[in-house]
Amino acid sequence: MTTPARVSAATRTMRRARKARRGVRLRIVIPLIIVGLYVVGAVIVPILYHFDPLSTDLLYRLKPPGSVVGGGSTAILGTDQVGQDLFAQIAMGARVSLTVGALTLLIAGVFGVLIGLLAGHFGGWVDMVLMRIADIQLAFPSILLAILLASVLGQGLTNIIIVLSIANWVVFARVTRGQVLALKNREYVEAARTLGAGHLHLIFRTQLPGCLAPILVVATVEFGHVILSEAALSFLGVGVPVGVPSLGSSIQAGTAYLTTAWWISTLPGIALLILVLATGILGDALRDRYDPRLRSA
Amino acid sequence: MAEPTMAVREGSTPRDEPLMSVRDLQVEFSTSAGVVRALDGVSFDVRRGETIAILGESGSGKSVTAQAIMALLPKPAGSIVGGSIHYAGRDLAALPIGDVRRICGTEIAMIFQDPLSSLNPVFRVGWQIAEPFRKRLGMDKQQARAKALELLDRVGIPDAGRRIRDYPHQFSGGQRQRIMIAMAIALEPKLLIADEPTTALDVTVQSQIMKLLANLQAETGMGMILISHDLGVVADVAERAAIMYAGRIVESGTIRQVYDYPAHPYTQGLLASIPSTKAIGERLVPIAGAPPNLLALPTGCSFHPRCPYAVDRCRAEIPLLRRPDGWEPGHVAACFRSEEVLAHD
Amino acid sequence: MTDRPATPILRVQHLRVSYPIRSSVMLRRVGENVAVSDVTFDVGPGETVGLVGESGSGKSTIARAVIGLVKPTAGVIEFDGRDITGHSPKELKAVRRQMQMVFQDPYASLNPRLTVRDQIAECWRVHHGQLPRAQWTERAKHLMERVGLNPDYSDRYPHQFSGGQRQRIGIARALALRPKLIICDEAVSALDVSVQAQVLNLLSDLQDEFGLSYLFISHDLSVIEHLSDRVLVLNKGEVVEQGPVREIFANPRDEYTRALLAAIPVVRPWLETPA
């Protein structure tokens, strides 16, 4: 018969297992909420504040967070060196970050996944050629590439997206290729082959659905990377053009005032940190979610 | 030969006492779909020099039994929630895992189904076999290696002196299993648990491995628990058999009793669905339905939806193991209608 | 000897499959690994031919060569009178409608991301014009019923089924195009004994109903003995013995065959009279 000690040991196990599962769910839900808030904020806040990147209000420049500015409204996060409300500027910067991030992911993702599918499925020299191109790609530091493109094509959002896509498609290709290679000899792929399926069917209807889970995980992590890269490029001045506010350029603009008006650099930095952290945790949690061992815990 | 006495005994002399006595073992797994009762009151004994075969299909709980004894249940999902495992005067189920693992290294050994994934591919075979000698007995490298060589010879690896330096992938499946057996008996365990030791092997190799196990047991006098889904493969080696279904033992006795005179409809059905027992071309008689979902076990006897002998009582009550009227002591079955089942044969 | 029907469904002659061993540096061919050497056999309509052997005997390779997953190094494969040796996947497409395969591992042979209905319907998707799309669901459900599955489960995913049920789905998928020959590559080896019996009975019934031929590959002699009309015993890529199943099992002539037969686990060895 069960002793009280035995029963409590069992319930402890059950509780531990349930906590593990709940932990994973929380790590998916909370980052999703945070990213959602960013998206909503990025869209709404600049509109609410009638944000104009080119306007200045020199009377109220360098005001600390919480101070009252012209028109009676409060600058929640302070003002920058030309009098712009920092909160609105951060929101606008987030808009740029999210847009660049999403579009880059889309382009790099589609391109990379396609290459990975072809390399993995066909193997042989197709695989060799494509992977060597990927290796050459990786040898190029993205910063240099960005500077090169900026000097040739001029600055602009499209150029950043192009640069970052070129820099980031390889990871999608590698992950997809790896997954295809792992599944290629699974019996259900052979079964599709024996049905008479041609290459198109095999690649897109048989292999691709099996690759979606790891691609999703990679995408969430890459999202954070891309946002960081864009911020870095903008910080260096080879990212977004002058008129467009970005988290990176906001940080850069505030470096001259670090000792006096610290909030100009720090607050966009914190906003960037939270966003990237959220996407990173989400990616981790998604990978754990698809871990078969935790599934039965 | 003398018939073994009933499983439960009181006040017996130490010599007659079983090596290991599992009583009413209950194991549960916590899954995302709910709590699964993998073992629901499993009891059996193993005596010195005796082999008991635990037989069942997938989901019966036979492997879980071995895992529970060896404290190998997957954490945090699985745990022992009831019952006891008596060994050498202690209850393994109540001991902390560290203590159980220590006993399991020296006195109770286990071999697994797939030797390829149980041997470390990056270490030489001699190194791996010598490991228990180095770690547990504190021998130095030379001594341990000499012992390992001895063991390789004993399990029948030809040219052991040369092959001791090879890696696992350089051996065939049957040879890898022999190596696993060598590692298991290295410290002269009193009890060996073999979980599907021959399932992954070719037919001709299967019989060799079973003979090896039988010989080793005769030499050392250790007890053995053989877990398998194949009723035929254990028939030469095991003295007693326990048939498991949905986490419970539904029949147990000497192997001849169980195979010749099955007292439980499941055992009878299993024996009837094995192709080799039927003439060529005759239709097999499978057991209707499928093994139950452990998350949604039928009420009463778990086998009743598939049972040709089921009556209303079977739906309501869980049958306990009992000796059918008029039959040998030691042969028990968990069925209300064992007498009809036996008469049917 | 049983009298053979006029045109065999499948004719394999002097089949040889070998893999070159290449040196790692220059990829030069330094030898070859022979998986199958000089195998010849026929399968007639409505007949079951068993290929039995241990691991490395080449039986699975023969199956894969016949269905076109592996390219033969030499030999001729004729299906329904047509030479299909070494055909490309495109050329084989028409033939594939007549020849299908059931695989060993019920857990890996179904696409985890497709519903049961989609798995069965995949063949009609691949072979345009065989069946109008509107009828796919109905025919898929009908096939599910025929193999003993509840047709209401047609929109469930493979992981929601047991091993035996998945194998039935695999059989339904193989039947969908009404093939003449089904190759069963260890189709029951991974199943529990009680489920194995159900699936073997199902295969037997389907053969009677549809006039199917089977090429049945297994390492389990008792299963082969039960289901096949004729059997080939393979050892390391060569046929050591072939003939009607009763003869082979009663009077094995080759030593290897005798060793195989002797190794079959006997459920009640105490009943055998000592030799």
Side-chain angles (χ1 to χ4, degrees):
Chain A
M1 294 296 113
T2 60
T3 63
R6 194 68 52 68
V7 168
S8 65
T11 36
R12 252 183 284 131
T13 311
M14 299 304 158
R15 235 180 266 145
R16 213 186 315 139
R18 250 177 259 140
K19 230 195 273 181
R21 266 178 284 141
R22 231 195 323 226
V24 173
R25 271 201 297 271
L26 264 181
R27 278 154 63 214
I28 298 183
V29 167
I30 291 187
L32 268 181
I33 294 180
I34 294 180
V35 174
L37 282 174
Y38 266 76
V39 169
V40 166
V43 169
I44 295 186
V45 170
I47 299 178
L48 276 179
Y49 276 69
H50 307 290
F51 184 79
D52 179 3
L54 300 175
S55 75
T56 62
D57 193 356
L58 293 170
L59 200 56
Y60 292 101
R61 60 191 293 268
L62 299 176
K63 288 282 178 228
S67 36
V68 181
V69 294
S73 54
T74 328
I76 310 172
L77 298 180
T79 60
D80 73 349
Q81 71 281 8
V82 292
Q84 292 274 17
D85 182 280
L86 207 54
F87 184 47
Q89 195 174 73
I90 290 179
M92 193 67 191
R95 197 193 273 193
V96 169
S97 295
L98 289 169
T99 318
V100 169
L103 283 176
T104 308
L105 266 192
L106 197 62
I107 298 175
V110 168
F111 186 60
V113 167
L114 200 59
I115 302 265
L117 284 174
L118 291 173
H121 179 82
F122 288 106
W125 64 265
V126 173
D127 184 19
M128 214 166 30
V129 164
L130 289 174
M131 284 300 109
R132 293 299 81 76
I133 295 178
D135 288 340
I136 296 173
Q137 170 66 62
L138 280 181
F140 261 97
S142 53
I143 306 285
L144 287 182
L145 192 58
I147 297 177
L148 175 67
L149 272 179
S151 56
V152 168
L153 297 172
Q155 284 186 312
L157 263 186
T158 359
N159 295 342
I160 299 200
I161 295 179
I162 294 177
V163 168
L164 291 175
S165 303
I166 297 179
N168 284 295
W169 68 265
V170 176
V171 66
F172 286 97
R174 284 252 173 89
V175 167
T176 312
R177 174 181 175 272
Q179 192 70 355
V180 169
L181 286 179
L183 299 179
K184 198 154 77 155
N185 292 318
R186 284 275 176 86
E187 291 189 335
Y188 70 84
V189 178
E190 286 191 323
R193 246 187 268 261
T194 60
L195 281 178
H199 291 297
L200 223 60
H201 183 110
L202 282 173
I203 294 178
F204 289 105
R205 286 199 62 88
T206 313
Q207 288 279 26
L208 181 55
C211 300
L212 286 178
I215 293 176
L216 181 63
V217 172
V218 166
T220 39
V221 174
E222 282 304 297
F223 192 55
H225 286 176
V226 166
I227 292 174
L228 262 184
S229 303
E230 178 273 315
L233 290 178
S234 305
F235 183 88
L236 292 174
V238 289
V240 291
V242 175
V244 181
S246 145
L247 293 174
S249 55
S250 301
I251 300 176
Q252 199 273 338
T255 49
Y257 303 92
L258 277 176
T259 45
T260 50
W262 53 267
W263 51 92
I264 305 180
S265 278
T266 322
L267 295 177
I270 293 180
L272 187 60
L273 171 69
I274 294 177
L275 181 57
V276 172
L277 206 57
T279 53
I281 292 178
L282 182 59
D284 248 0
L286 281 178
R287 199 185 316 123
D288 286 347
R289 164 87 174 66
Y290 289 106
D291 181 344
R293 265 182 309 120
L294 266 190
R295 265 237 193 90
S296 50
Chain B
M1 65 183 195
E3 297 289 15
T5 47
M6 280 291 284
V8 181
R9 76 200 80 247
E10 352 263 9
S12 48
T13 62
R15 189 111 50 91
D16 281 349
E17 218 170 87
L19 198 55
M20 170 174 285
S21 191
V22 176
R23 287 278 166 275
D24 204 29
L25 189 60
Q26 297 159 49
V27 170
E28 283 184 348
F29 283 87
S30 163
T31 72
S32 51
V35 171
V36 171
R37 210 165 168 79
L39 288 185
D40 190 20
V42 167
S43 306
F44 61 90
D45 289 342
V46 188
R47 263 179 293 277
R48 271 178 201 79
E50 180 189 59
T51 303
I52 177 170
I54 299 187
L55 301 158
E57 299 179 303
S58 29
S60 57
K62 55 192 196 300
S63 284
V64 176
T65 309
Q67 290 171 349
I69 296 177
M70 303 283 291
L72 285 174
L73 289 173
K75 295 262 172 264
S79 67
I80 301 177
V81 299
S84 56
I85 303 170
H86 291 291
Y87 176 77
R90 279 176 295 179
D91 179 5
L92 296 182
L95 286 180
I97 293 194
D99 292 349
V100 180
R101 292 267 167 87
R102 218 176 337 111
I103 300 178
C104 289
T106 48
E107 297 182 34
I108 308 179
M110 186 154 163
I111 56 177
F112 299 88
Q113 173 173 342
D114 183 4
L116 187 54
S117 50
S118 309
L119 290 171
N120 193 326
V122 300
F123 285 100
R124 292 180 210 272
V125 148
W127 179 264
Q128 294 189 51
I129 301 182
E131 191 178 353
F133 293 112
R134 288 194 310 269
K135 290 268 155 54
R136 304 266 184 179
L137 296 184
M139 288 189 187
D140 67 30
K141 277 197 221 152
Q142 310 286 58
Q143 283 177 305
R145 198 174 175 288
K147 280 283 196 174
L149 189 54
E150 222 180 276
L151 276 171
L152 268 187
D153 240 344
R154 194 165 169 210
V155 295
I157 300 276
D159 201 9
R162 194 173 54 84
R163 304 223 64 187
I164 197 171
R165 288 183 53 77
D166 282 343
Y167 289 92
H169 68 264
Q170 293 171 277
F171 292 88
S172 72
Q175 289 173 328
R176 280 194 287 260
Q177 195 61 294
R178 290 175 194 266
I179 294 169
M180 269 248 288
I181 294 175
M183 283 169 71
I185 62 166
L187 295 176
E188 284 165 39
K190 304 215 174 52
L191 177 67
L192 178 66
I193 304 178
D195 188 356
E196 308 255 22
T198 57
T199 304
L201 303 174
D202 280 330
V203 149
T204 48
V205 180
Q206 274 181 11
S207 52
Q208 293 171 9
I209 297 289
M210 292 310 287
K211 280 205 192 74
L212 172 64
L213 285 174
N215 290 340
L216 286 172
Q217 184 184 40
E219 278 170 29
T220 59
M222 61 184 177
M224 199 152 65
I225 300 179
L226 272 179
I227 295 171
S228 182
H229 68 275
D230 188 339
L231 274 75
V233 114
V234 301
D236 272 325
V237 182
E239 285 97 27
R240 309 215 355 260
I243 312 275
M244 285 190 70
Y245 186 80
R248 299 199 188 108
I249 294 185
V250 295
E251 184 163 359
S252 102
T254 67
I255 199 158
R256 287 201 192 196
Q257 286 168 342
V258 176
Y259 283 16
D260 285 341
Y261 306 108
H264 194 280
Y266 178 58
T267 317
Q268 200 181 53
L270 266 188
L271 288 165
S273 44
I274 299 176
S276 57
T277 60
K278 287 278 168 191
I280 303 173
E282 234 182 79
R283 217 172 148 68
L284 295 169
V285 184
I287 307 176
N293 180 355
L294 290 175
L295 281 166
L297 280 175
T299 55
C301 172
S302 328
F303 187 66
H304 84 253
R306 310 171 70 187
C307 181
Y309 299 91
V311 292
D312 284 331
R313 189 178 176 202
C314 306
R315 266 176 277 278
E317 275 176 65
I318 299 178
L320 295 172
L321 282 170
R322 67 177 180 93
R323 180 163 66 88
D325 287 333
W327 290 93
E328 311 280 348
H331 184 186
V332 292
C335 181
F336 297 123
R337 309 202 58 209
S338 291
E339 288 75 13
E340 282 87 9
V341 177
L342 283 167
H344 181 87
D345 257 334
Chain C
M1 288 294 274
T2 53
D3 37 275
R4 303 277 181 78
T7 35
I9 284 285
L10 179 69
R11 166 164 272 167
V12 174
Q13 289 182 319
H14 305 294
L15 179 67
R16 182 185 171 82
V17 180
S18 64
Y19 300 102
I21 306 175
R22 298 194 187 278
S23 75
S24 41
V25 178
M26 294 299 286
L27 296 182
R28 271 181 314 115
R29 204 190 147 101
V30 292
E32 62 175 8
N33 190 357
V34 180
V36 176
S37 84
D38 200 17
V39 168
T40 302
F41 66 94
D42 289 348
V43 181
E47 201 186 14
T48 303
V49 171
L51 292 182
V52 71
E54 296 183 308
S55 46
S57 58
K59 54 194 195 300
S60 274
T61 314
I62 295 177
R64 279 171 159 65
V66 167
I67 198 126
L69 287 171
V70 161
K71 228 180 174 70
T73 317
V76 175
I77 303 175
E78 270 178 35
F79 182 77
D80 215 8
R82 283 171 53 185
D83 185 347
I84 59 167
T85 327
H87 274 197
S88 70
K90 225 192 210 123
E91 292 161 334
L92 277 179
K93 197 163 170 178
V95 174
R96 287 257 166 78
R97 259 180 271 137
Q98 306 286 318
M99 182 185 353
Q100 278 300 308
M101 192 148 156
V102 179
F103 295 83
Q104 170 176 6
D105 186 351
Y107 294 89
S109 62
L110 296 180
N111 190 329
R113 312 240 168 231
L114 292 181
T115 61
V116 173
R117 175 223 172 252
D118 285 338
Q119 306 257 11
I120 300 176
E122 205 175 350
C123 58
W124 300 313
R125 189 187 299 270
V126 168
H127 295 269
H128 296 299
Q130 281 298 304
L131 192 71
R133 192 177 269 254
Q135 294 182 20
W136 285 1
T137 309
E138 192 200 313
R139 276 293 298 280
K141 290 196 177 188
H142 177 77
L143 279 164
M144 282 177 76
E145 247 178 323
R146 191 60 204 82
V147 298
L149 291 168
N150 187 340
D152 293 333
Y153 295 168
S154 66
D155 52 1
R156 291 203 182 171
Y157 288 90
H159 70 263
Q160 295 170 285
F161 293 88
S162 72
Q165 290 171 321
R166 285 187 219 204
Q167 209 60 325
R168 290 172 195 266
I169 297 173
I171 295 173
R173 177 174 63 186
L175 278 178
L177 289 169
R178 306 247 178 101
K180 291 193 185 140
L181 170 72
I182 296 190
I183 303 177
C184 301
D185 188 1
E186 306 264 18
V188 295
S189 306
L191 301 176
D192 284 324
V193 162
S194 61
V195 181
Q196 203 179 72
Q198 293 174 357
V199 175
L200 284 176
N201 281 349
L202 171 66
L203 287 173
S204 186
D205 291 340
L206 290 171
Q207 182 173 44
D208 291 335
E209 188 177 326
F210 294 114
L212 296 166
S213 306
Y214 289 137
L215 183 61
F216 200 89
I217 289 138
S218 183
H219 65 275
D220 190 339
L221 281 144
S222 35
V223 167
I224 291 262
E225 180 183 25
H226 185 81
L227 200 62
S228 314
D229 300 309
R230 278 185 301 125
V231 79
L232 275 83
V233 181
L234 289 152
N235 187 15
K236 295 200 180 43
E238 289 179 349
V239 180
V240 297
E241 198 163 350
Q242 62 172 298
V245 87
R246 268 172 241 259
E247 239 177 72
I248 300 273
F249 277 73
N251 301 314
R253 270 167 303 174
D254 185 270
E255 201 180 306
Y256 180 70
T257 316
R258 267 180 265 140
L260 266 190
L261 285 169
I264 305 179
V266 179
V267 178
R268 296 195 276 175
W270 49 85
L271 289 183
E272 313 258 281
T273 48

Coordinates of all heavy atoms in Angstrom, one line a residue, chain A residues 111-150:
Chain A
F111 N 14.7 33.0 -49.2 CA 15.8 32.7 -50.0 C 16.6 31.5 -49.4 O 17.0 30.5 -50.0 CB 16.7 33.9 -50.2 CG 17.8 33.8 -51.1 CD1 17.6 33.5 -52.4 CD2 19.1 33.9 -50.7 CE1 18.7 33.3 -53.3 CE2 20.2 33.8 -51.6 CZ 20.0 33.5 -52.9
G112 N 17.0 31.7 -48.1 CA 17.8 30.7 -47.4 C 17.1 29.3 -47.4 O 17.7 28.3 -47.7
V113 N 15.8 29.3 -47.1 CA 15.1 28.0 -47.0 C 15.1 27.3 -48.4 O 15.4 26.1 -48.5 CB 13.7 28.2 -46.5 CG1 12.9 26.9 -46.7 CG2 13.7 28.5 -45.0
L114 N 14.9 28.1 -49.4 CA 14.9 27.5 -50.8 C 16.3 26.9 -51.1 O 16.3 25.8 -51.5 CB 14.6 28.7 -51.8 CG 14.1 28.2 -53.1 CD1 12.8 27.4 -52.9 CD2 13.8 29.4 -54.0
I115 N 17.3 27.7 -50.8 CA 18.7 27.1 -51.1 C 18.9 25.8 -50.3 O 19.4 24.8 -50.8 CB 19.8 28.1 -50.7 CG1 19.5 29.4 -51.5 CG2 21.1 27.6 -50.9 CD1 20.3 29.5 -52.8
G116 N 18.5 25.9 -49.0 CA 18.7 24.7 -48.1 C 18.0 23.5 -48.7 O 18.5 22.4 -48.7
L117 N 16.7 23.7 -49.1 CA 15.9 22.6 -49.6 C 16.6 22.0 -50.9 O 16.7 20.8 -51.0 CB 14.5 23.1 -50.0 CG 13.5 23.4 -48.9 CD1 12.2 24.0 -49.4 CD2 13.2 22.1 -48.2
L118 N 17.0 22.9 -51.8 CA 17.6 22.4 -53.0 C 18.9 21.6 -52.7 O 19.2 20.5 -53.2 CB 17.9 23.5 -54.0 CG 16.7 24.2 -54.6 CD1 17.1 25.4 -55.4 CD2 16.0 23.2 -55.5
A119 N 19.8 22.2 -51.8 CA 21.1 21.6 -51.5 C 20.8 20.3 -50.8 O 21.5 19.3 -51.1 CB 21.9 22.5 -50.6
G120 N 19.9 20.2 -49.8 CA 19.7 19.0 -49.1 C 19.1 17.9 -50.0 O 19.4 16.8 -49.9
H121 N 18.1 18.3 -50.8 CA 17.4 17.3 -51.5 C 18.2 16.7 -52.7 O 18.2 15.5 -52.9 CB 16.1 17.9 -52.1 CG 15.3 17.0 -53.0 ND1 14.4 16.1 -52.4 CD2 15.3 16.8 -54.3 CE1 13.9 15.4 -53.4 NE2 14.4 15.8 -54.6
F122 N 18.9 17.6 -53.4 CA 19.6 17.0 -54.6 C 21.0 16.5 -54.2 O 21.5 15.6 -54.8 CB 19.8 18.1 -55.7 CG 18.5 18.4 -56.4 CD1 17.8 19.6 -56.1 CD2 18.0 17.5 -57.3 CE1 16.6 19.8 -56.7 CE2 16.7 17.7 -57.9 CZ 16.1 18.9 -57.7
G123 N 21.6 17.1 -53.2 CA 22.9 16.6 -52.8 C 23.9 16.8 -53.9 O 23.7 17.6 -54.8
G124 N 25.0 16.0 -53.9 CA 25.9 16.0 -55.0 C 26.5 17.3 -55.3 O 26.8 18.1 -54.3
W125 N 26.7 17.7 -56.5 CA 27.4 18.9 -56.8 C 26.6 20.1 -56.6 O 27.1 21.2 -56.2 CB 28.0 18.9 -58.3 CG 26.9 18.9 -59.3 CD1 26.5 17.8 -60.0 CD2 26.2 20.0 -59.9 NE1 25.5 18.1 -60.9 CE2 25.3 19.5 -60.8 CE3 26.2 21.4 -59.7 CZ2 24.5 20.3 -61.6 CZ3 25.4 22.2 -60.4 CH2 24.5 21.6 -61.3
V126 N 25.3 20.0 -56.7 CA 24.4 21.1 -56.3 C 24.6 21.5 -54.9 O 24.8 22.7 -54.6 CB 22.9 20.7 -56.5 CG1 21.9 21.7 -56.0 CG2 22.6 20.4 -58.0
D127 N 24.7 20.5 -54.0 CA 24.9 20.8 -52.6 C 26.2 21.5 -52.4 O 26.4 22.5 -51.7 CB 24.8 19.5 -51.9 CG 25.0 19.6 -50.4 OD1 24.8 20.8 -49.9 OD2 25.3 18.6 -49.7
M128 N 27.3 20.9 -53.1 CA 28.6 21.4 -52.9 C 28.7 22.9 -53.4 O 29.2 23.7 -52.6 CB 29.6 20.6 -53.8 CG 30.9 20.4 -53.1 SD 32.0 19.2 -53.7 CE 31.7 19.0 -55.4
V129 N 28.2 23.2 -54.5 CA 28.2 24.6 -55.0 C 27.5 25.5 -54.1 O 28.1 26.5 -53.7 CB 27.6 24.6 -56.5 CG1 27.3 26.1 -56.8 CG2 28.6 24.0 -57.5
L130 N 26.3 25.1 -53.7 CA 25.5 26.1 -52.9 C 26.2 26.3 -51.5 O 26.2 27.4 -51.0 CB 24.1 25.5 -52.7 CG 23.2 25.6 -54.0 CD1 21.9 24.9 -53.7 CD2 23.0 27.0 -54.4
M131 N 26.7 25.2 -51.0 CA 27.3 25.4 -49.7 C 28.6 26.2 -49.7 O 28.9 26.9 -48.8 CB 27.6 24.0 -49.0 CG 26.3 23.4 -48.5 SD 25.4 24.4 -47.2 CE 24.0 25.0 -48.2
R132 N 29.3 26.1 -50.8 CA 30.6 26.9 -51.0 C 30.2 28.4 -51.1 O 30.8 29.2 -50.5 CB 31.4 26.5 -52.2 CG 32.0 25.1 -52.1 CD 33.0 24.9 -50.9 NE 32.3 24.6 -49.6 CZ 31.8 23.5 -49.3 NH1 31.9 22.4 -50.1 NH2 31.2 23.3 -48.1
I133 N 29.1 28.6 -51.8 CA 28.6 30.0 -51.9 C 28.3 30.5 -50.5 O 28.6 31.7 -50.1 CB 27.4 30.1 -52.8 CG1 27.8 29.8 -54.2 CG2 26.8 31.5 -52.8 CD1 26.6 29.8 -55.2
A134 N 27.7 29.7 -49.7 CA 27.3 30.1 -48.4 C 28.6 30.4 -47.6 O 28.6 31.3 -46.8 CB 26.5 29.0 -47.7
D135 N 29.5 29.5 -47.7 CA 30.8 29.7 -47.0 C 31.4 31.1 -47.3 O 31.9 31.8 -46.5 CB 31.8 28.6 -47.2 CG 31.3 27.3 -46.5 OD1 30.5 27.4 -45.6 OD2 31.8 26.2 -47.0
I136 N 31.5 31.3 -48.7 CA 32.1 32.6 -49.1 C 31.3 33.7 -48.5 O 31.9 34.7 -48.0 CB 32.1 32.7 -50.6 CG1 33.0 31.6 -51.2 CG2 32.6 34.0 -51.1 CD1 32.9 31.5 -52.7
Q137 N 30.0 33.6 -48.5 CA 29.1 34.6 -47.9 C 29.5 34.9 -46.5 O 29.6 36.1 -46.1 CB 27.7 34.1 -48.0 CG 26.7 34.9 -47.3 CD 26.6 36.2 -47.9 OE1 26.2 36.3 -49.1 NE2 27.0 37.3 -47.2
L138 N 29.7 33.8 -45.7 CA 30.0 34.0 -44.3 C 31.3 34.7 -44.1 O 31.5 35.3 -43.0 CB 29.9 32.7 -43.6 CG 28.6 32.1 -43.3 CD1 28.7 30.8 -42.5 CD2 27.8 33.1 -42.4
A139 N 32.2 34.5 -45.0 CA 33.5 35.1 -44.8 C 33.5 36.7 -44.9 O 34.4 37.3 -44.5 CB 34.5 34.6 -45.9
F140 N 32.4 37.2 -45.5 CA 32.3 38.6 -45.6 C 31.8 39.2 -44.3 O 30.7 38.9 -43.9 CB 31.4 39.0 -46.7 CG 32.0 39.4 -48.0 CD1 32.2 38.4 -49.0 CD2 32.5 40.6 -48.2 CE1 32.8 38.7 -50.2 CE2 33.2 40.9 -49.4 CZ 33.3 40.0 -50.4
P141 N 32.5 40.1 -43.7 CA 31.9 40.8 -42.5 C 30.8 41.7 -43.0 O 31.0 42.5 -43.9 CB 33.1 41.6 -41.9 CG 34.2 41.6 -42.9 CD 33.8 40.6 -44.0
S142 N 29.7 41.6 -42.3 CA 28.5 42.3 -42.8 C 28.7 43.9 -42.7 O 28.1 44.6 -43.4 CB 27.3 41.9 -42.0 OG 27.5 42.1 -40.6
I143 N 29.5 44.3 -41.7 CA 29.7 45.7 -41.5 C 30.3 46.3 -42.8 O 29.9 47.3 -43.3 CB 30.5 46.0 -40.3 CG1 30.0 45.3 -39.1 CG2 30.7 47.5 -40.1 CD1 28.7 46.0 -38.5
L144 N 31.4 45.6 -43.2 CA 32.1 46.1 -44.4 C 31.2 46.1 -45.6 O 31.2 47.0 -46.4 CB 33.3 45.2 -44.7 CG 34.5 45.4 -43.7 CD1 35.6 44.5 -44.1 CD2 35.0 46.8 -43.7
L145 N 30.4 45.0 -45.7 CA 29.5 44.9 -46.8 C 28.5 46.1 -46.8 O 28.2 46.7 -47.8 CB 28.7 43.6 -46.7 CG 27.9 43.2 -48.0 CD1 28.8 43.1 -49.2 CD2 27.3 41.9 -47.7
A146 N 28.1 46.4 -45.6 CA 27.1 47.5 -45.4 C 27.7 48.8 -45.9 O 27.1 49.6 -46.6 CB 26.6 47.6 -44.0
I147 N 29.0 49.0 -45.4 CA 29.6 50.3 -45.7 C 29.8 50.4 -47.3 O 29.6 51.4 -47.9 CB 31.0 50.4 -45.0 CG1 30.8 50.4 -43.5 CG2 31.8 51.6 -45.5 CD1 32.0 50.4 -42.7
L148 N 30.2 49.2 -47.8 CA 30.4 49.2 -49.3 C 29.1 49.6 -50.0 O 29.1 50.5 -50.9 CB 30.9 47.8 -49.7 CG 31.0 47.6 -51.2 CD1 32.2 48.4 -51.8 CD2 31.3 46.1 -51.5
L149 N 28.1 48.9 -49.6 CA 26.8 49.2 -50.3 C 26.3 50.6 -50.1 O 25.8 51.2 -51.0 CB 25.7 48.2 -49.8 CG 25.7 46.9 -50.6 CD1 24.6 46.0 -50.0 CD2 25.4 47.1 -52.1
A150 N 26.5 51.1 -48.8 CA 26.1 52.4 -48.5 C 26.8 53.4 -49.4 O 26.2 54.4 -49.9 CB 26.3 52.7 -47.1

